[in-house]
Amino acid sequence: MEIKKAIGTNIARYQKEQNLTQQELANSLNISYQAVSKWETGE
């Protein structure tokens, strides 16, 4: 479980550093913003 939390924290930090919304990040990765949200929360 710790790895999921670490990944989510890193994704959220990157998103904020780049001044991206979840939607913008998702678009750049060709995934849904819901997937980004789940990753950030460790789901």
Side-chain angles (χ1 to χ4, degrees):
M1 277 308 209
E2 283 295 315
I3 191 90
K4 286 184 179 183
K5 186 174 183 178
I7 291 170
T9 299
N10 285 334
I11 290 170
R13 184 178 50 217
Y14 172 79
Q15 175 189 337
K16 288 176 185 161
E17 286 175 358
Q18 299 300 312
N19 294 315
L20 296 171
T21 65
Q22 285 182 342
Q23 184 67 59
E24 291 168 332
L25 179 58
N27 288 345
S28 70
L29 298 172
N30 294 317
I31 59 171
S32 69
Y33 73 91
Q34 292 97 333
V36 173
S37 177
K38 285 183 179 184
W39 291 345
E40 288 180 351
T41 61
E43 290 184 38

